[in-house]
Amino acid sequence: MILSLAATMSSGGLPQNTTSSSTFDPSSLDPWLDPYPDPYPDLPGVNTSSSSDVPGRTHTSDLDLRPLTSQQDVSPWDVALCVTGTLIACENALVIAVLFYTPTLRAPMFILIGSLAFADLLAGLGLILNFVFTYLVEGEVVTLVATGILIAAFSASILNILAITVDRYLSLYNALTYHTERTVLFTYLVVGVIWLVCLVLGVLPALGWNCLDDQSTCSVCRPVTKSNAVALAVFFLLVFALMMQLYLQICRIAFRHAQQIAVQHQFLAISTTKGVQTLSVILCAFAMCWLPFAMYSIVADSSYPIIYTYSTVLLAACNSVINPIIYAFRNPDIQKGLWLACCGCVPSNLSLRPRARTSSDV
């Protein structure tokens, strides 16, 4: 086939080799006609052949198929985390807007719900920024910023859930003095302490607690070091153990109250039982979302397959998707605020419900 092609080109007036008629010498052709054309002439740095493949042809570099920065492949896991972050941000922004524009939602329990919604909103924005910084902006500074936001946000989310659990326990344990002891000022102080601790945790990577200088010390979530990741995981396990202990105490108190309540106080018994059921759902969702990531952070390091890190992080992020549904959207007062904000009216089934008075009703 090559010989016939040479004959055809020769008949068209191209120079021929006068020394031999039976062989084809590519050098006898017009120098402007490349017998081995580059299939990708417009892609700098991409060569589809080397000097060992074609005799007499040299290249300045070997085969290089690495994508350019502007053509970097996007991981489906990063897209899933970004979409999850967008959903988290939208949900919790709606909760914060309802709490802010509804003057009647100023009780301590709603302050804690608002703090939790703000923490989850910050976590959602952190996931979005992490995607942007990964594919659009490069640099160690932006990496540390995104990492700090995520650590602070998720830590605040966990501690706010713990605060709500403690608040529910106190509302049952000290039912008679709860409203006088748990004032709005006291709740704001608790929220302030929570956010102060979480901000300290968030700035630690920027202060040098990172593995950018020594990749061998990285955890499953770069640039967090292995020791820091283990410390955060142990911190989570301690919080979860405390929540479980409070949950058992709440169940014990609720069942004791249920046995003592007379028939005329049936509503209070139903309300207490509903609070216990809600707390059970909270703890189950909390454990299923965070336990896999916490345990994996302890046993794994940066050498483990990244798919395991993505799957556990995505599962942990789903807890921030569930939180608004459990804490906010199920509350009758917040439902009324949503209806008033969206439709300007309140359904009759909501307007006839009694207002939630205790933290156990949330």
Side-chain angles (χ1 to χ4, degrees), residues 82 128 294-295 327 345:
C82 184
I128 297 173
M295 300 304 297
Y327 292 97
C345 61

Side-chain angles (χ1 to χ4, degrees), residues 87-170:
L87 178 60
I88 292 171
C90 292
E91 279 185 320
N92 290 279
L94 182 60
V95 174
I96 293 175
V98 171
L99 294 176
F100 183 79
Y101 289 105
T102 307
T104 58
L105 303 180
R106 296 293 184 270
M109 61 179 176
F110 293 115
I111 296 175
L112 294 176
I113 292 176
S115 179
L116 174 62
F118 182 75
D120 288 334
L121 171 64
L122 193 62
L125 295 177
L127 291 174
I128 297 173
L129 289 177
N130 182 69
F131 180 86
V132 174
F133 291 160
T134 300
Y135 293 100
L136 301 180
V137 183
E138 296 181 357
E140 295 182 354
V141 175
V142 293
T143 301
L144 294 175
V145 169
T147 303
I149 292 175
L150 290 174
I151 291 176
F154 283 123
S155 299
S157 179
I158 293 173
L159 288 180
N160 277 290
I161 292 177
L162 176 62
I164 293 176
T165 306
V166 173
D167 187 62
R168 287 177 169 172
Y169 168 75
L170 294 176

Side-chain angles (χ1 to χ4, degrees), residues 53-66:
D53 298 330
V54 181
R57 183 177 176 90
T58 61
H59 296 279
T60 58
S61 63
D62 293 330
L63 179 65
D64 187 6
L65 297 179
R66 291 175 297 177

Side-chain angles (χ1 to χ4, degrees), residues 285-351:
F286 188 72
M288 288 188 297
C289 291
W290 278 105
L291 276 179
F293 177 72
M295 300 304 297
Y296 183 70
S297 298
I298 294 176
V299 302
D301 53 33
S302 58
S303 63
Y304 279 61
I306 195 172
I307 187 174
Y308 299 142
T309 302
Y310 273 122
S311 57
T312 53
V313 169
L314 183 61
L315 191 60
C318 288
N319 184 249
S320 295
V321 179
I322 299 173
N323 285 338
I325 300 174
I326 294 177
Y327 292 97
F329 297 144
R330 295 179 70 253
N331 183 271
D333 292 324
I334 296 181
Q335 289 179 9
K336 293 177 184 179
L338 283 173
W339 278 101
L340 288 174
C342 298
C343 305
C345 61
V346 179
S348 57
N349 60 336
L350 284 178
S351 60

Side-chain angles (χ1 to χ4, degrees), residues 106-343:
R106 296 293 184 270
M109 61 179 176
F110 293 115
I111 296 175
L112 294 176
I113 292 176
S115 179
L116 174 62
F118 182 75
D120 288 334
L121 171 64
L122 193 62
L125 295 177
L127 291 174
I128 297 173
L129 289 177
N130 182 69
F131 180 86
V132 174
F133 291 160
T134 300
Y135 293 100
L136 301 180
V137 183
E138 296 181 357
E140 295 182 354
V141 175
V142 293
T143 301
L144 294 175
V145 169
T147 303
I149 292 175
L150 290 174
I151 291 176
F154 283 123
S155 299
S157 179
I158 293 173
L159 288 180
N160 277 290
I161 292 177
L162 176 62
I164 293 176
T165 306
V166 173
D167 187 62
R168 287 177 169 172
Y169 168 75
L170 294 176
S171 69
L172 292 176
Y173 184 76
N174 297 325
L176 297 178
T177 60
Y178 169 79
H179 292 284
T180 58
E181 295 178 352
R182 299 296 170 266
T183 61
V184 173
L185 178 59
F186 178 81
T187 306
Y188 276 122
L189 290 176
V190 172
V191 171
V193 171
I194 289 175
W195 279 102
L196 179 61
V197 172
C198 295
L199 288 177
V200 171
L201 294 176
V203 300
L204 287 181
L207 296 178
W209 294 45
N210 59 71
C211 63
L212 294 178
D213 296 331
D214 187 3
Q215 299 295 326
S216 62
T217 62
C218 284
S219 66
V220 293
C221 293
R222 183 181 178 274
V224 180
T225 62
K226 173 67 175 179
S227 58
N228 292 346
V230 172
L232 291 174
V234 172
F235 164 75
F236 162 78
L237 293 176
L238 292 176
V239 171
F240 181 71
L242 181 57
M243 290 177 60
M244 286 294 299
Q245 180 64 27
L246 291 172
Y247 167 72
L248 294 177
Q249 295 296 327
I250 289 174
C251 289
R252 189 175 304 168
I253 296 173
F255 290 143
R256 186 172 66 246
H257 286 180
Q259 295 175 355
Q260 297 174 352
I261 292 175
V263 177
Q264 59 269 27
H265 299 98
Q266 182 179 3
F267 169 76
L268 182 58
I270 294 175
S271 177
T272 303
T273 304
K274 180 181 177 181
V276 173
Q277 293 175 350
T278 302
L279 191 58
S280 302
V281 174
I282 293 170
L283 288 177
C284 290
F286 188 72
M288 288 188 297
C289 291
W290 278 105
L291 276 179
F293 177 72
M295 300 304 297
Y296 183 70
S297 298
I298 294 176
V299 302
D301 53 33
S302 58
S303 63
Y304 279 61
I306 195 172
I307 187 174
Y308 299 142
T309 302
Y310 273 122
S311 57
T312 53
V313 169
L314 183 61
L315 191 60
C318 288
N319 184 249
S320 295
V321 179
I322 299 173
N323 285 338
I325 300 174
I326 294 177
Y327 292 97
F329 297 144
R330 295 179 70 253
N331 183 271
D333 292 324
I334 296 181
Q335 289 179 9
K336 293 177 184 179
L338 283 173
W339 278 101
L340 288 174
C342 298
C343 305

